Amino acid sequence: MLMPILQIHSEDMPAYAIVCGDPARAEKISRKLEQARELAFSREYRTFVGLYEGVQIAVVSHGVGSPGAAVCFEELIRAGVTTLIRVGTAGSYTADYPAGSVIVSTAAVRTDGLTRQLVPDGFPAVADIGVTQALIEAARGQESTDAATFAGKVGVGITVTLDAFFAGVEEIPHRKYKQAGALAAEMEIAALYIVSTLRGARAGAIVAIDGFADSDLAAEYDPHTDAVGQAVEREINAALHALVALARQDQA
């Protein structure tokens, strides 16, 4: 069956997928796969499949923001994907996790508009516990083995999903989210968790910190530093290893 937006066929799709915003990042991740091939590049949605440690994995870009990303997640699940992990970047709310850190998102505060059209306001956007545990183990395993070069820490906690990237007239209440215990802000995780919950898939997310969202900590934004690049590399490796671990558990 052809997915009309992603332009992929369900018979080509494996059960496991990494999703990311940037089509160029999807291509970068695909280079880690054996027998990698590109299936489609439609709009912001670029799809690759290949093998990683013997497990068939898809890598798909979803663009920026929840509405477009949700289209990607919906069609991937309809095509047969049952496990999705988002890798991306986020702005930190705390000096404890500066640029170069990585955070595993256990749940997302839903400040986006998309999920309000899918579920009631009080419904939580929560990661799958098995996917989350696999990501924590993979990320912290890298932290312990690469301690000499590990620029930032691995955090685990709640993230915030926003629609606005740049500030406007209305103030985004970052300080309130920080006081409530949220660790970072990004733009798609809530959509991933809600769509996956509704459609019977399991999902998790890991993000590389590329700056501060909290205005009290604000510095010149530069997502292209070596520290951020290393964090992106670590989150990609953690996601790949987590999917392999999950696939082996499923086969046991």
Side-chain angles (χ1 to χ4, degrees), residues 85-151:
I85 292 178
R86 165 163 154 70
V87 300
T89 54
S92 176
Y93 282 148
T94 168
D96 291 338
Y97 297 105
S101 303
V102 296
I103 290 175
V104 177
S105 170
T106 58
V109 179
R110 294 172 43 223
T111 73
D112 65 296
L114 179 279
T115 61
R116 292 177 181 174
Q117 297 184 11
L118 297 178
V119 293
D121 280 346
F123 191 88
V126 182
D128 176 83
I129 190 168
V131 177
T132 300
Q133 188 60 42
L135 281 169
I136 293 169
E137 291 175 2
R140 288 189 168 161
Q142 290 184 92
E143 185 180 30
S144 61
T145 57
D146 301 335
T149 58
F150 206 89

Side-chain angles (χ1 to χ4, degrees), residues 156-179:
V156 178
I158 297 169
T159 53
V160 177
T161 297
L162 304 168
D163 281 342
F165 186 87
F166 295 104
V169 176
E170 293 291 335
E171 181 181 0
I172 298 172
H174 289 299
R175 188 169 299 172
K176 291 182 180 179
Y177 300 138
K178 175 182 176 178
Q179 290 173 343

Side-chain angles (χ1 to χ4, degrees), residues 13-121:
M13 296 304 294
Y16 307 94
I18 288 176
V19 292
C20 61
D22 186 357
R25 182 168 294 159
E27 193 274 335
K28 175 184 177 180
I29 298 170
S30 77
R31 295 200 297 268
K32 294 179 177 288
L33 307 180
E34 296 179 358
Q35 302 174 26
R37 59 193 178 100
E38 185 171 355
L39 298 183
F41 195 165
S42 173
R43 303 189 184 201
E44 64 264 48
Y45 311 114
R46 193 175 187 183
T47 304
F48 299 87
V49 293
L51 290 169
Y52 190 80
E53 296 185 5
V55 176
Q56 191 79 11
I57 291 173
V59 181
V60 188
S61 62
H62 55 63
V64 177
S66 289
V71 172
C72 175
F73 307 148
E74 291 273 10
E75 288 205 345
L76 287 178
I77 294 168
R78 292 180 187 183
V81 174
T82 59
T83 304
L84 303 93
I85 292 178
R86 165 163 154 70
V87 300
T89 54
S92 176
Y93 282 148
T94 168
D96 291 338
Y97 297 105
S101 303
V102 296
I103 290 175
V104 177
S105 170
T106 58
V109 179
R110 294 172 43 223
T111 73
D112 65 296
L114 179 279
T115 61
R116 292 177 181 174
Q117 297 184 11
L118 297 178
V119 293
D121 280 346

